[in-house]
């Protein structure tokens, strides 16, 4: 038990250190380009750390993870091509190679946020619909504070630099469905990195939200 606690603490500290390094690197002019090209590492490290501390690799969990990853990618694909779901936007180069104008790594973003929000809200309510709603709200909050940073560092760019309200409405609807699926397929689960990672994300993105970054997109 003690060894598990130490491993968890080490994992949290390492994640926090990396995100802090990333935030500082993005704010320093000399290193900004380098860390902008390394933004994809945030997703890779996050999903890797969560997987490392995940338990009970069941068929249902595999279905959940596979479905959320690809649904996340597909809604972004349709969104980019049509502008109907989120509004008119395009992905930049910061998330790596793209297929059809969409980086496959964006699927990990949906999976990570659904997974950690689903685990967090399990303690807040036992009602399936309430859990899905609260989880979706958490995901919309993350998206809200992530947008300034995303536009400044070429994760994605909105037409005319304006984020349409429909983006957040679409996020809520899609996130609600994903959270509902999490609780139906996944049942009660825990991951000691879920809440810490959520707080790391909030702190990381809120930094850019508060200062409005000030860097050109």
């Amino acid at each position: 038990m003690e060894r598990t606690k130490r491993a968890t603490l080490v994992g949290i500290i390492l994640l926090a250190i990396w995100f802090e390094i990333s935030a500082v690197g993005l704010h320093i002019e000399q290193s900004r380009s380098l860390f902008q090209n390394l933004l994809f590492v945030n997703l890779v490290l996050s999903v890797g750390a969560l997987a490392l501390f995940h338990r009970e690799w069941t068929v249902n969990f595999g279905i959940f993870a596979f479905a959320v990853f690809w649904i996340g990618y597909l809604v972004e694909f349709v969104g980019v091509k049509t502008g109907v779901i989120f509004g008119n936007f395009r992905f930049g180069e910061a998330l790596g190679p793209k297929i059809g104008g969409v980086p496959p790594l964006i699927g990990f973003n949906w999976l990570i946020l659904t997974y950690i929000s689903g685990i967090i809200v399990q303690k807040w309510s036992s009602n399936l619909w309430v859990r899905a709603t609260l989880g979706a709200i958490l995901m919309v909050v993350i998206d809200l504070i992530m947008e300034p940073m995303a536009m400044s560092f070429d994760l994605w760019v909105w037409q005319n630099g304006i984020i349409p309200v429909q983006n957040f409405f679409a996020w809520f609807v899609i996130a609600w469905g994903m959270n509902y699926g999490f609780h139906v397929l996944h049942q009660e689960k825990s991951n000691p990195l879920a809440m810490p990672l959520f707080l790391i994300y909030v702190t990381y993105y809120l930094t850019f939200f508060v200062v409005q970054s000030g860097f050109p997109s």
Side-chain angles (χ1 to χ4, degrees):
M1 181 66 71
E2 200 62 35
R3 182 179 299 177
T4 301
K5 289 182 178 179
R6 285 200 299 268
T8 300
L9 182 60
V10 169
I12 294 170
I13 291 174
L14 291 178
L15 280 174
I17 289 174
W18 167 255
F19 275 85
E20 181 64 25
I21 291 173
S22 175
V24 172
L26 288 170
H27 277 89
I28 298 175
E29 184 176 354
Q30 291 82 356
S31 61
R32 191 175 307 150
S33 177
L34 170 63
F35 281 92
Q36 183 170 319
N37 291 329
L38 290 175
L39 282 172
F40 74 94
V41 175
N42 294 0
L43 290 178
V44 175
L45 285 180
S46 296
V47 77
L50 289 173
L52 187 63
F53 286 87
H54 178 76
R55 298 293 180 267
E56 298 184 34
W57 292 84
T58 63
V59 172
N60 277 356
F61 178 73
I63 293 173
F64 157 77
F66 182 85
V68 170
F69 179 90
W70 285 110
I71 289 173
Y73 172 80
L74 289 174
V75 294
E76 298 285 0
F77 180 86
V78 175
V80 164
K81 296 300 181 183
T82 67
V84 171
I85 298 177
F86 305 103
N88 294 309
F89 77 106
R90 63 172 176 80
F91 280 98
E93 304 302 320
L95 289 180
K98 292 177 280 190
I99 299 176
V102 179
L105 279 179
I106 197 63
F108 279 137
N109 189 54
W110 285 99
L111 177 57
I112 292 167
L113 295 183
T114 304
Y115 179 80
I116 62 178
S117 62
I119 287 177
I120 290 171
V121 302
Q122 285 180 147
K123 297 181 179 180
W124 297 354
S125 174
S126 60
N127 182 279
L128 178 60
W129 289 68
V130 172
R131 284 181 172 184
T133 301
L134 291 175
I137 291 173
L138 288 184
M139 290 177 65
V140 171
V141 168
I142 288 289
D143 183 51
L144 179 66
I145 62 177
M146 178 169 52
E147 290 293 348
M149 183 265 193
M151 291 189 290
S152 295
F153 297 107
D154 203 33
L155 288 170
W156 52 80
V157 180
W158 292 97
Q159 187 176 56
N160 301 321
I162 300 173
I163 308 170
V165 175
Q166 79 179 76
N167 169 66
F168 302 109
F169 178 75
W171 255 80
F172 179 83
V173 172
I174 297 167
W176 193 96
M178 290 179 172
N179 272 268
Y180 185 88
F182 174 88
H183 296 293
V184 168
L185 290 173
H186 199 32
Q187 301 304 316
E188 301 288 335
K189 297 296 175 186
S190 64
N191 189 314
L193 260 60
M195 178 59 86
L197 184 58
F198 178 80
L199 295 177
I200 289 171
Y201 271 31
V202 169
T203 303
Y204 182 72
Y205 294 127
L206 196 57
T207 299
F208 298 98
F209 182 81
V210 171
V211 301
Q212 293 294 299
S213 97
F215 302 132
S217 56

